[in-house]
Amino acid sequence: MPDEQHRSRMARKKAVVDAAIAQADQDKGLLLVLTGNGKGKSSSAFGMVARSLGYGHQIGVAQFLKSRRDTGEELFLGQQPGVQWHVLGDGFTWDTQNREADIASAKRGWEVAQDLLKDASLHLVVLDELTYLLNYGYLDETQVCADLAARPSMQHVVVTGRAAPSCLLELADTVSDIADIKHAFRAGVRAQPGIDL
Ligand code: ATP
Ligand code: MG
């Protein structure tokens, strides 16, 4: 393509992008939902924790389902000033195999999340793997969405987990559905520190 044609095409593109950026002039606390079967939901949420920490924000993280305390994200981000880190799971449901205990643990976990969602000093709250508790019916979807909707207006919340239920998708401002094209696990590679945990 001749240089001049390229230049004028890029100028038109810039005008469109600049106009779109000028239109987006609001600030608000966002609800982001990261769902789908592919890898990258929780690690994206923790990437936003790192970004937010760059601004000195206060952050709350609640990890549902998982019970392990030796993940890289907790070892590093959990130690940073301004971060409160709550590991709320008793293990995956196929480990515990006790529905009543899982429900009780989910309810105790949601009480912790409710405190985070009432705390206007928290700029960002991550609710990692929350969707599973909704999909198994351990938590009431209507209650969870009502609590999310009632949070402080400038608080950002990131929810992760596969198969996010419709009330979350409707309430969310930003939704990403991460596709599973390929995963090393299926080629026999175990979870790698720094990449998977
Ligand atoms: P990550 O924490 O790496 O961003 P994730 O939050 O998107 O992953 P989860 O469904 O929470 O994915 O899975 C947790 C673990 O399973 C991680 O170690 C992740 O690498 C791995 N995993 C994610 N997607 C897949 C997949 N499609 N097949 C196998 N393992 C996966
Ligand atoms: Mg995850």
Side-chain angles (χ1 to χ4, degrees), residues 128-148:
D128 189 35
E129 319 299 350
L130 175 65
T131 60
Y132 301 95
L133 279 62
L134 299 168
N135 293 334
Y136 292 140
Y138 293 175
L139 293 178
D140 176 29
E141 195 177 310
T142 313
Q143 175 72 55
V144 164
C145 282
D147 291 339
L148 284 166

Side-chain angles (χ1 to χ4, degrees), residues 23-193:
Q23 283 259 306
D25 61 355
Q26 302 163 45
D27 292 310
K28 75 173 280 212
L30 299 173
L31 175 62
L32 300 96
V33 174
L34 306 177
T35 193
N37 291 334
K39 171 183 166 56
K41 302 175 289 294
S42 299
S43 47
S44 167
F46 299 132
M48 286 181 261
V49 172
R51 282 184 166 169
S52 201
L53 275 173
Y55 294 94
H57 291 165
Q58 304 286 310
I59 298 155
V61 176
Q63 285 192 293
F64 295 93
L65 280 196
K66 289 176 182 174
S67 57
R68 64 185 304 165
R69 309 294 316 249
D70 59 349
T71 59
E73 60 263 24
E74 183 177 1
L75 292 172
F76 183 69
L77 297 171
Q79 309 304 315
Q80 303 304 311
V83 178
Q84 22 168 326
W85 201 279
H86 304 276
V87 174
L88 302 171
D90 292 330
F92 277 108
T93 192
W94 49 88
D95 287 334
T96 61
Q97 295 165 13
N98 181 338
R99 190 175 152 82
E100 289 312 309
D102 284 349
I103 291 173
S105 149
K107 295 204 157 129
R108 281 194 305 276
W110 189 248
E111 285 171 15
V112 174
Q114 283 174 320
D115 286 341
L116 300 177
L117 295 172
K118 283 180 192 148
D119 184 347
S121 74
L122 298 175
H123 275 81
L124 173 63
V125 172
V126 173
L127 304 174
D128 189 35
E129 319 299 350
L130 175 65
T131 60
Y132 301 95
L133 279 62
L134 299 168
N135 293 334
Y136 292 140
Y138 293 175
L139 293 178
D140 176 29
E141 195 177 310
T142 313
Q143 175 72 55
V144 164
C145 282
D147 291 339
L148 284 166
R151 75 190 189 280
S153 64
M154 290 311 293
Q155 185 182 70
H156 301 305
V157 176
V158 184
V159 173
T160 80
R162 297 178 191 205
S166 57
C167 97
L168 267 184
L169 301 181
E170 281 154 26
L171 193 60
D173 300 284
T174 297
V175 178
S176 293
D177 185 0
I178 299 185
D180 175 18
I181 307 291
K182 204 190 240 194
H183 197 291
F185 178 71
R186 291 198 291 282
V189 183
R190 67 166 68 94
Q192 298 293 299

